Amino acid sequence: MAQSKDNAIWGTVTLAMPQLVEWQIEGGSEKLEGRNLREFVVALASAGEGREAVLRLNLLVSL
């Protein structure tokens, strides 16, 4: 994902039901990554302060 022209940040969460696989935040001063949902929320709040944030959710389901 690239930084948008309007300076928004992009957050991506990947879930493989029922557990979190990984998360990423891009568009800020540095790319942030992790595997804990609570850390994602904290990181998104601090990275997106005063800016728009776009959240994308990838859901992996096994049939």
Side-chain angles (χ1 to χ4, degrees):
M1 291 181 299
Q3 185 175 357
S4 69
K5 293 178 182 173
D6 64 353
N7 204 27
I9 58 168
W10 294 80
T12 303
V13 175
T14 301
L15 300 170
M17 297 311 283
Q19 90 186 58
L20 174 70
V21 175
E22 68 180 0
W23 61 263
Q24 299 176 358
I25 297 175
E26 299 180 58
S29 58
E30 61 185 62
K31 181 177 177 179
L32 304 171
E33 300 178 304
R35 295 185 180 274
N36 180 301
L37 191 56
R38 182 172 289 165
E39 291 173 2
F40 171 75
V41 173
V42 171
L44 186 63
S46 63
E49 192 170 333
R51 297 166 52 183
E52 289 189 27
V54 178
L55 180 61
R56 178 168 58 184
L57 177 63
N58 297 327
L59 185 58
L60 307 173
V61 179
S62 178
L63 300 176

